[in-house]
Amino acid sequence: QAYNCLIHFYKRSDRLCNQWCDYLFNSFRNTRILTTPTNRELLLCVLGSCLTGLRAPCAVNLVTSMMVLGQDVWKNWEKTGKTEFVKVLKSLLEEGGPNVAENPHHRDIYRHIYDLIWQAVRDKIKREQVVQCLGELIAFNSEVANLVTDIIAIVDTETVLAEDKKDERSRLTATVREIERFLGDGLLKERLEIDTLGECGILKHPKKFFTTVIKLKTKLFYKQQKFNLFREECEGYAKLITELNQDLSSVTPTYIIEVIKSVIGYFNLDPNRVLDIILESFECQPNQHKFFISLLGEYLPDTRTMCELLSFKYSFYLSSNNEDKEVTPKSLYEVTALLIQHDIMKLEDVYPLLRPDDSEITKMADKEMRDAKDFVRKLNVVSTQGKNDDEEKEKEDRDKHENNQKFGLLEALVKVGAWNHAEKILCQLPTYYATAQPGISMQLCKLIHIILDPVYQVNSGLCPRIKVKSHQPLDNEHAPPQAETYEDLKLHVFPMLLALGPHAQADPILLYKVLRICKTALGIKDTAKYDSEVAGVVVPPDSPLYFMTLTLMDEVFLPSLSLLNSNCCLAEEIWSVLRHFPYEQRYRLYDQWKGDTTTAHPILLRSKAAVLKSIKKLMQRVSKENVKPTGRQLGKLSHSSPGLLFTYILSQIQVYDNLIGPVVDSLKYLTNLSFDVLGFCIIESLNDPSRARTKTDGTSISMWLNALASFCGAVYKKHSIELTGLLQYVANQLKAKHSLDLLIIKEVVAKMGGIEGIEEMTPEQIDATAGGELLRQEAASFTQIKNTRKSSQRLKDCLIEKGLAVPLVLLMAQQGNSVVYQETESDHLKLVGKLFDQCHDTLVQFGTFLASNLSQDDYTRKLPPLEQLLSEFHVNADIAFFLARPMFNHLINTKFDDLRKNDKLWKQRTGAEKQAKHAEAAQLVMEPVTAAVIPIYPPKVWEDISPQFCTTFWSLTMYDLYVPEKLYEKEIKKLKEAPAKLSDNKDLNTARRKKEADRLNTLMERLQDEEKRHKEHVERVMARLRQEKDAWFLSRTARSGNSRSAKNETITQFLQFCLFPRCIFTSSDAIYAAKFVSVIHMLKTPNFSTLICYDRIFCDITYTVTCCTENEAGRYGRFLAAMLETVMKWHAEREVFERECSGYPGFITKFRVTDKATGNDTDTVDFENYRHVCHKWHYKIAKALVVCLESKDFVQIRNSLIVLTKIIHHFPAIQNLATVIEKRIEKVCEDEKDKRQDLYIKARSYQGQLGARKAKMMKESDFHVVKGKKGEEAEAASSPAKKEREKGGEGVEEGEIRSSGKEKRRESERRDRERSSASKERNRDSESKERNSRDKDVRTSRERDSHSRDRNGQGDMGPPATSRSTPTRRSLDPDAGDRDPKRRRGEDKEREKEKEKSPVLDRLEKNEKLRKEKREKEKIKKEKEEKESKREKKRDRDDSVADSSVKKRREETERSESSPSRQNGSEEKRKSSSDRKR
């Protein structure tokens, strides 16, 4: 069946046949079919037929694999085993051919014969049968004899070792004796041991045979045939030495060879000794290498003899026979190198002869690296080891390589120019370990000098008059050729430089040469100025040697600079190349330089340790007094390793920010390369992921980040450092929504641009910002402009050239929403506010810098238009208008100039006509802006205010509305008086005094001219506003029929979309917002109610104050102060009020009040009513701020304190309100003293300011007409409290702060408890106490009734109400409309009842009242006790019998008196707990 299947598969495909054979073999093996001899024979017959019939290779493999001898072969040896054994062995021998060693089954053959011999040794099979079987195999293949002999030798060794089995040894010897006839006498004597041959009887005299063998070997190998020593044949060797050391220029190698042959033959000299003498002569005359190379080439029969000779020579210097401790001579290395270079010998033959081994060199390199790391680690450890010990250790390190033969051969190979062979050795050894040896590095530098000389002569870039030293090529045709092109440099020179690595510092001249070649290849023209801030023209990447230059910088130039001692010239030369690469490439190189490169070289690690040790000592002495000497030392240290140096300095600055000033001043001696590395180190320190960027409490920015930001601003201002990397880093951080790094931009712009934050400006400085540029410089600047002129120019150039100005502005504009909604989801609210303020302030600061430093044309060209800012970049409207505002004025002026030039009759035009032209130009410019504004607001907005008003409001500034004439006069006056003071200055000579006087006069004239131009501009703007004002606010009365809701809606849109966003943008915008409201009023704008606007602003500021950040609260406070200033100006004098308010549309109301005195009924609020309204506003502000102060919330308390501080000059102006606020401030101080120190400091500060202004405050009766005044005016202004008391309600004084609804309910419950406790007390007391208690309850009920009567009154409305009999006074509610007066009065009452619930007394006043009641009770109790004691004494004297009854009566009395005191104590506890809850 197997045969038929095999035939079938083979006919179809070889692959199926192979698979079937594998299957058969595995099946037979698994089923143990082959263990039966019959089955095995049958299967072999089947497969044999396959072999003969098909010649299939798969069948051959199967047959071979099945030739496995089982254990039954030895058991059935005589029957079938022998036949099967011989057949298997013969088939294995046939398959492999006649050579058994190359047979693929030689292992099986060896094993089978080995097992057969052991069967005879162990007497399992008869010896004769084994010998006969082996004889057959040897007869079949003669090579089996060698195999059998080797196996017998192995068995011989095994039996000799087994001493306890003597019989096995004897059987083996017998077997060998019998098998000798098949193997032969010579084969056994050659392979077997002499003792074994003797035991077998093959040798009759073993000892004699051993002696004969020794003599034969001595004769063959050790007997001298020639003379070897000089003293044995001195004449012959003398003749030989003379011939080899003559003038070789006159003879040829062929002639000398013939002479050497003659001398060897005549004097019978040893040829090996002659070879040694030739090599020694070669060593003495290495310059004659061509002659000796030819001579040795003809003399040597092969390289083996030379290898043995060199091995003897090299080993001698490392052996113990070298008694003088001689070092391997360099001449021997050089001869060996020349022989290798000229292919007389192979490097692979010589290299193993040298010592030490590569593994030992690797261990030495590892040890050196460990020692260097330990040296760095032990830097801060105080060592007791002396300097002499360190020097001895260094000397030992140098001496251990003195006899390193591999280093010596490498140096010689480099010297003779065999770079290919030297490179192979370098690859075998640890990286840079070989070139770290001074000899090797110097020879490699010399070779590089020679190779690059032709290229350097052409591309050095030096003046032709400068003589350049030339290097002659090597007199060696196998040396690398000199480079002629840049490609030759890449092929030959640069691999050598890379092999040198940092050890190229051995030859600084070579570094200069390569740098100059790189400059020429990159097209860099040499200039005298290499400022680190001024980046050169960027080299294109396709320049020759572009990437190779970067590689050399990384591997060679920068590491070599670290090993050179303060070589500032090389640093400048390196910078002259690096400055033309992008900062990304440079910073990558710096990172490698201070990181991986340093850690890869032991010598650089030691250099790093030395630098760190020096800078630590130096930083301990840095101060303001020794800036110059420490600066010089710092400069010297920075020339070599600036990265390590600045990393340590920045780490110290992060901890000690008082080092910023001295360190910045000390950096003036740095090279440009060092300044550039400093920029990289700053960015690296800022981006340290291991440092937390916020403090542990999570409420403020870390000190280290603040210190680094301050250092950035100071160092970039004082020194010329490229800003591109820092600005791009901040831009990347903003893209990643990390707004903390805006602190860097803030400091840089503040220091370099002179643009300070305007949050802490005085009112005079803010007023000066409304003036022209000269006035702002003279009166509004914190710093001197001349100190920032150069630095601001550098910052501006960097922003414009690198295209970072607009991206940074847009990123900052978009960052505000990210801070609030994305970046700070889990952060503290205080930190969120700080980050938002920082983002906003930096945006304003940066935008101000761009607007003030860029020309108007550049600013308009670079910044996107307003439409694009709003639609494409999704910038908020307030920010978009802030950025676009400078463009508006420029475009309007440009358009105005065009209209003026096109008008030929311009000079004949009147002022009004010119102003009309200006308004026309403004309209043309603002039309597209108005169109762009409409889509960003809801359509409902435009039903109340016009888009033109919105754009007008957002596009104007204080400069357009107001001329600070007083400041102009003040500055002009100072300039007029200044020349007179110059005469007193003795430091100025006459010429300088005159020059300074001229400058002051010129400045004064410029200021006067600027004031004049400013006034003309304001007049034009006001004329334009007068022209536009009628269309600003749309009247919806005709459509809706509801004037009240229309006015409210108009004011709401104005406040929401215009006034509030603008007033919290900047401090100057806050003043502008207040000024614009005044301008709207003074322009008599239709459909705008000034009273309603002010009422909406002042009536409830709680939510506005609460939702502000810290800086926004300050700006909002400035806005309120400016508004209050206007309000109080009208409040102060009737004439001012009549002049600026009476008859103005903003003060017209539909609520009429008839004056009893005159009977006049007008629509205008009169002066006294306005004063009542002012009182209401003051009261509302006080109430809102008290709510914030009592809230216990950090943000509300902080913001309310900020607002109070900003409006201190105008509020509180009434004494009772000041008292209420002062009590709240005192409570805040008590609560926050040991908790939140920042709130405590703010509260104390305001408390002091409030106390200083108490004398200027007025009584309520002086502020406005209050109740209790006689006359018609008093009656007309009567208090609503009186009116409500008449109705049985609870009255409240004006200015009194109401309590919340919860407090009222708690107070009512407390009164119920008091009533219940009082009733119990009355039941227990005596009749006299009952009467007193009844009287007290009557008084309490009266007070309670009065409170309930006042509860329904109008406590907080400003103007007091009249009685029912008098006509209704004009309402202050801005929501009042044109409805029927009776219906309006009814609705007003209901609304007032809903709005004004019954307020209780102030909490502090209640506590004070309770304390007084407690003291009165204690006093009454004390009096009762005294009276009772007197009565008891009297009764004791009158009746001594009634002691028990008296005692009982006394106990009852004490019990009755103690119950009220206990009750009072429980009431006090309840009150204190309720206060705490509130």
Side-chain angles (χ1 to χ4, degrees), residues 611-623:
V611 170
L612 290 177
K613 187 175 182 181
S614 302
I615 189 57
K616 286 179 181 178
K617 289 183 180 178
L618 184 60
M619 288 300 293
Q620 293 173 357
R621 301 193 298 271
V622 170
S623 65

Side-chain angles (χ1 to χ4, degrees), residues 254-267:
T254 306
Y255 168 75
I256 295 298
I257 282 291
E258 295 300 326
V259 172
I260 291 172
K261 289 180 180 179
S262 302
V263 172
I264 291 174
Y266 186 81
F267 294 103

Side-chain angles (χ1 to χ4, degrees), residues 756-761 766 769 782 844 1066-1069 1118:
E756 295 283 353
I758 59 174
E759 295 304 321
E760 301 301 326
M761 293 178 73
I766 293 180
T769 56
F782 290 105
V844 172
T1066 63
S1067 297
S1068 58
D1069 284 325
R1118 288 185 186 274

Side-chain angles (χ1 to χ4, degrees), residues 1085-1249:
T1085 306
N1087 301 317
F1088 179 80
S1089 176
T1090 308
L1091 274 180
I1092 295 178
C1093 181
Y1094 278 98
D1095 193 70
R1096 293 288 296 276
I1097 290 171
F1098 292 135
C1099 271
D1100 192 1
I1101 65 172
T1102 306
Y1103 301 112
T1104 314
V1105 171
T1106 303
C1107 68
C1108 288
T1109 64
E1110 186 173 3
N1111 291 353
E1112 287 176 349
R1115 301 178 200 123
Y1116 186 62
R1118 288 185 186 274
F1119 168 72
L1120 290 178
M1123 299 291 282
L1124 285 171
E1125 182 182 4
T1126 305
V1127 167
M1128 297 308 293
K1129 180 182 69 171
W1130 293 336
H1131 174 275
E1133 298 181 18
R1134 183 182 294 272
E1135 292 78 7
V1136 176
F1137 178 83
E1138 295 293 339
R1139 184 175 65 250
E1140 298 184 2
C1141 300
S1142 295
Y1144 279 72
F1147 274 72
I1148 293 177
T1149 176
K1150 297 298 181 179
F1151 296 92
R1152 295 179 175 83
V1153 176
T1154 302
D1155 195 335
K1156 283 185 177 183
T1158 61
N1160 185 22
D1161 186 9
T1162 65
D1163 291 339
T1164 305
V1165 177
D1166 61 9
F1167 180 65
E1168 281 304 325
N1169 282 334
Y1170 173 72
R1171 288 166 68 91
H1172 288 312
V1173 173
C1174 290
H1175 179 268
K1176 170 197 169 182
W1177 291 339
H1178 276 255
Y1179 168 72
K1180 287 288 189 179
I1181 293 173
K1183 180 180 178 181
L1185 293 176
V1186 166
V1187 170
C1188 293
L1189 290 172
E1190 290 181 343
S1191 65
K1192 304 297 182 183
D1193 180 67
F1194 171 83
V1195 174
Q1196 293 191 43
I1197 298 174
R1198 181 198 66 194
N1199 291 356
S1200 59
L1201 289 171
I1202 293 173
V1203 170
L1204 283 169
T1205 304
K1206 295 296 181 182
I1207 63 176
I1208 185 68
H1209 296 289
H1210 310 288
F1211 178 87
I1214 307 172
Q1215 290 178 354
N1216 60 346
L1217 295 182
T1219 303
V1220 172
I1221 291 176
E1222 189 176 17
K1223 290 178 181 178
R1224 275 18 177 231
I1225 296 296
E1226 182 63 35
K1227 187 68 168 58
V1228 170
C1229 292
E1230 292 176 3
D1231 294 343
E1232 306 297 341
K1233 185 174 183 180
D1234 298 324
K1235 296 179 182 178
R1236 295 178 283 201
Q1237 286 294 319
D1238 48 353
L1239 293 182
Y1240 174 75
I1241 293 171
K1242 287 181 184 294
R1244 282 296 183 202
S1245 174
Y1246 176 73
Q1247 193 177 38
Q1249 297 179 52

